[in-house]
Amino acid sequence: MELSAANLSPTATIKNIEAKGDTLDAPGHGRREVRRHFFTLILVMVLLTCIYPVLSQWSFKGGPYFHIAVETVGALLGLITGFVLAMNFYTLVNRFYLSVGLAFFVSGTVDIVHGLLSFERVHGLTTIPASAFEKIIPGTPVMGGLMFGFLLLAAPFAMIRLDKAEKWKNKIPWISLGTVIITAAAAVAAFNISFPQVVYPDFFISRPLNLVSAFVLAAALVVFLREYRQYRDMLTWWLALSIGIHALGQVMILFSRDFFDIFFHTAGLYKVLGCAVPLVGFSIYRASFFSQRLLLEKNNRELQKKIADINQVEEKIQFEMNQRKQVEEQLKILVEDVERTNKELEEFAYVVSHDLKAPLRGINSLSRWLYEDYLDVLDENGREILDKLQVRTKRMHNFIEGVLRYSRIGRVKPTPQVLNSEEVVQEVIDGLSPPDNISVKTNDTLPTIVYDKMFLSQLFQNLVGNAITHLDKPNGEVVISGIERGNVWEFCVKDNGVGIEERHFDRIFKIFQCLKARSEKESTGIGLSLVKKIIERTGGSVWVESTLGEGSAFYFTIPKGSETEVAITGLTVLIIDDNPDFIEVATAMLQREKLKVLSALNGREAYETLELYKDEIQVILMDIHIPGEDAIERFEKIKQLKPEVKIIACTGVNLPEIIDQLKKKGLLDGLLAKPFKISDLSGIIGRFQ
Amino acid sequence: MAIKKGVPILVVEDDEVDVGDILRAFKKNKITNPIYVASNGEEALAFLRHEGQYSDREDTTLPGIILLDLNMPIMNGIEFLKIIKADNEFKKIPVIVLTTSKEDNDRLESFKLSVAGYIIKPVDFEKFVGAVKTFELYWTLSEML
């Protein structure tokens, strides 16, 4: 499954949602939205105010019934709004709405009472004295308006205080009920209490209490707008609008000079409007709320799906990691096995050769004693028999030595050093002690090369020794030469001996192959195969040119690249890789080459280690890709810490862009592909010197 | 060269043919010093300490030289060497190690334990002289004349 890093991240999804400003309340409620809503509200209020000049032209005078109808509708709407908002308290668990709902409910209740009283008055059904009537009827809506205003103001405080006080939480329903009862009781008591005068027709401001209401409502409006700005709750805005309209209504009635004039009615209509608005708003609010919930659920489902995908990928990764770990563990065991086998073979070979050679030596000595002690008793035949005995024991001894040496080639690690091949050849010649009639010399001075001394020695021992052995001419000549040819050193051992037929050219290099019967020429059959094995081990080639009867020339090449292998012994290397198993195996490999190895699992450890061992570390083997880190930064920082250090990037994955960048910035001194061979590494390091 | 008469020579070697080589070499060159042969390290120690089968030996002089094979059963040459080099009396005796080939690792080990020299088997007198010569035992021994 194709999963890009970008759309995988759950953080990304959440960020998306946050960026869009999605909240529970309204879509895209950012600052611009808020400002827009502010202006809308102000616009509406201004419009409603601007009606004033129109209204003042209109000399409409409606009847009391119209007024009662308007008031009753307003009251009912108020009751419903109050009920709906208070119910909202339970679903949204927001006590803010409870208080607001109570405000509307109370206002509505009072207005219902006012309506009933007015109705009674109009129809003359009353038990209350007329004077009281005159005061109660206008008094009730004013009282209602004041209580409305104060309860609204109290709403935010109610939310805070009741929220914080744990013990009040359970008493809220009781408080609400209490408030309702008090309101109803007050309303009923209004019938019997002497109301204060609320209308002063002679004063400039004929209804001062309405002015107070207007101010309280204005204050409530400000409070609600602040709430809206803070919480971005659309319902709060609708309520703010409602409060604004109510406030305007209170202002309108200030201009009423006469009962039932246009301002009177307009005030009532505004009240109706003010109570209708929250209901409308609430419906819209609930609708958007619902749609938001759908959106959220959809996002949630997507998120869940992405999480499931991620989990799946994680499981896969974990599985693959386990697999890889298993393979690595297996490899470790294999390596251990191989090393152990190697060691066992070495011990075995030693013991075998030792225990084979001891009795051989015994046989040789015993035959020699026989010879020495019974020389006078032995006749020609006897002496010949003893000779043959000695020859054969010697042959067996050489054979064992040859086989042992042959088997060692594969197991021993070549230690290249700078060699004067002339000196080595001279040593070999001295060791072989050629007879006087054979001249063995070198043609010009042999070059200085870099190679394992024991190998070079054995190569010449076998080739020169063979040449000497197979010389049949009275004056034997063996010439050894060596030249540079391209990127190899080419050596030649030439003799004027018996020569070799072309058809045998390949066979002679095979182990245990001889061209003559053993008794004729003392040959183990191992020599040339030993030469071949050594050459193959060190990456060269060997071949022969020969003419039967005239002589042979054996050539072998030593690759020049091995020059560079010298340098790596004794170096201190720092391996930086996030894979601890790789570090373990690489460390073991390097330590076998007598390198000192330090390691770090990430950039931070690397910097610390480099600081501590700054003077010692000469080469760094660093993985390019370490998760959670910038590769280029790491390379840069390391070069900063120690500019002379050589950094070899080691990578199992192809990262051409990063490698290019590193090269351009001069941060890369070498590149190794994983898995690497020691010869690759030493080749790179050799080029540094 | 002449070796002081009467100074015993201790040969620690288990292979009878190798021992034979040594005895023949000395006999051929008319060396008459008493030659004692121990076939392993333990026996050699008993000889030096006059214990066990050697407890009733009359001549109690320590050997003037020890020829030591490294590869022996029960107690091999290296172990024996370590023990005698730790002993104040015994460590004065020069030890020449008998070895089968130049590439023996044991040879390096024995050098670490300050032996006087080594001889590649089979031992013949020339080799013996050569080994002795190299480390100036000639002078020591000839002085003992």
Side-chain angles (χ1 to χ4, degrees), chain A residues 48-177:
Chain A
L48 289 175
T49 319
C50 289
I51 289 183
Y52 170 77
V54 173
L55 290 175
S56 47
Q57 301 302 319
W58 203 358
S59 54
F60 169 80
K61 202 159 156 121
Y65 281 111
F66 179 66
H67 172 71
I68 292 172
V70 165
E71 288 273 329
T72 312
V73 166
L76 284 171
L77 283 175
L79 280 173
I80 294 169
T81 304
F83 188 71
V84 161
L85 287 176
M87 283 297 104
N88 202 37
F89 152 73
Y90 280 106
T91 51
L92 285 186
V93 200
N94 191 340
R95 282 167 211 118
F96 181 77
Y97 293 117
L98 181 64
S99 189
V100 171
L102 274 179
F104 276 90
F105 197 80
V106 160
S107 167
T109 311
V110 168
D111 284 336
I112 291 277
V113 167
H114 168 82
L116 285 173
L117 286 174
S118 309
F119 191 72
E120 283 202 347
R121 176 146 188 293
V122 165
H123 287 266
L125 324 151
T126 177
T127 48
I128 302 167
S131 58
F133 242 159
E134 296 304 314
K135 291 198 187 136
I136 292 177
I137 291 178
T140 37
V142 172
M143 286 294 125
L146 280 171
M147 290 204 312
F148 181 64
F150 281 119
L151 276 170
L152 285 173
L153 265 183
F157 300 103
M159 176 168 76
I160 298 168
R161 304 230 58 171
L162 288 179
D163 260 348
K164 289 207 173 132
E166 281 294 320
K167 60 179 177 172
W168 288 106
K169 279 189 185 162
N170 295 330
K171 303 212 168 66
I172 286 166
W174 295 112
I175 294 172
S176 320
L177 195 59

Side-chain angles (χ1 to χ4, degrees), chain A residues 350 354 361 365 369 372-373, chain B residues 18 20-21 24 71 100 104:
Chain A
Y350 176 77
H354 204 269
R361 193 174 57 244
S365 295
W369 297 357
E372 285 167 3
D373 294 351
Chain B
D18 286 334
D21 278 327
R24 287 168 72 91
N71 230 318
T100 48
D104 256 357

Side-chain angles (χ1 to χ4, degrees), chain A residues 1 34 73 81 98 106 113 115 117 185 190 244 288 332 338 346 359 361 417 474 497 533 624 632 663 667 681 688:
Chain A
M1 105 192 63
V34 170
V73 166
T81 304
L98 181 64
V106 160
V113 167
L117 286 174
S288 80
K332 262 197 261 183
V338 167
E346 182 67 42
R361 193 174 57 244
Q417 57 185 112
K533 196 162 186 206
I624 293 183
I632 301 189
K663 278 190 190 158
L667 298 169
L681 176 65
F688 294 158

